[in-house]
């Protein structure tokens, strides 16, 4: 895994639940790729997860990935909670089903193809990659609201 990729991800929704969008910026050397998408009825956490999923699933070969998210839900989920969820059969410590388990499983599978370092960045604090991913997520929501998607 010699290729190192920086992935900046963000997701959001208007209302929670409500219409949502996700955005991804992938950078490898001097190359940059932007991705985005939307959903009619979703949650902020689901869009944050979808952004990370899309970032990792888009990579065509195994890479070393620095993934930046402003979602503590995604970052802590991958670094702290996931191993125990797997051990417990996708149940929380309280014995309840993990919320968004389908997306967590998909993200887990995508992450296993790569060597991922999960970074948390403060949202809306001027971080260029995070700001770009946020712009893409909002543009996707705007396009859906305008009927363009």
């Amino acid at each position: 895994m010699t290729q190192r990729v920086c992935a900046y991800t963000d997701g959001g929704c208007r209302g929670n639940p409500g219409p949502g969008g996700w955005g991804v910026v992938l950078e490898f050397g001097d190359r940059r790729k932007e991705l985005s998408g939307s959903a009619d009825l979703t949650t902020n956490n689901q869009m944050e997860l979808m952004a990370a999923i899309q970032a990792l699933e888009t990579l065509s070969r195994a890479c070393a990935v620095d993934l930046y998210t402003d979602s503590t839900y995604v970052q802590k989920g991958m670094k702290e909670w996931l191993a125990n969820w797997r051990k417990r059969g996708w149940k929380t410590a309280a014995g309840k089903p993990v919320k968004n388990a389908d997306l967590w499983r998909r993200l887990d599978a995508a992450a296993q193809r790569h060597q991922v370092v999960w970074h948390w960045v403060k949202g809306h604090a001027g971080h260029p990659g995070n700001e770009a991913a946020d712009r893409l997520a909002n543009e996707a929501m705007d396009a859906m609201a305008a009927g363009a998607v």
Side-chain angles (χ1 to χ4, degrees):
M1 276 192 241
T2 58
Q3 294 184 322
R4 184 153 219 72
V5 175
C6 286
Y8 303 95
T9 67
D10 199 17
C13 67
R14 296 179 180 153
N16 199 17
W22 56 266
V24 173
V25 176
L26 297 172
E27 294 178 346
F28 170 66
D30 61 353
R31 295 163 70 192
R32 179 182 173 110
K33 183 172 189 169
E34 296 183 347
L35 311 164
S36 63
S38 59
D40 287 328
L41 185 61
T42 189
T43 67
N44 185 64
N45 284 340
Q46 289 169 340
M47 291 292 91
E48 293 282 5
L49 286 165
M50 186 55 70
I53 289 165
Q54 292 295 330
L56 297 175
E57 287 184 350
T58 296
L59 301 173
S60 60
R61 66 186 91 152
C63 299
V65 180
D66 283 301
L67 192 143
Y68 296 86
T69 177
D70 63 6
S71 169
T72 56
Y73 178 67
V74 170
Q75 193 256 356
K76 285 187 175 190
M78 292 305 291
K79 289 180 75 170
E80 299 176 23
W81 307 329
L82 186 70
N84 286 325
W85 289 339
R86 275 198 232 112
K87 285 180 195 171
R88 292 189 206 106
W90 294 94
K91 302 272 190 214
T92 66
K96 296 184 179 184
V98 171
K99 290 182 181 176
N100 304 311
D102 56 334
L103 294 173
W104 282 112
R105 283 185 176 115
R106 190 170 161 193
L107 180 56
D108 183 28
Q112 288 184 32
R113 292 183 45 229
H114 306 287
Q115 190 175 53
V116 183
V117 178
W118 300 90
H119 301 275
W120 179 82
V121 295
K122 184 174 174 139
H124 310 287
H127 187 281
N130 179 257
E131 295 293 334
D134 179 69
R135 174 186 50 79
L136 291 165
N138 278 290
E139 287 173 356
M141 285 186 273
D142 292 344
M144 183 177 59
V149 177

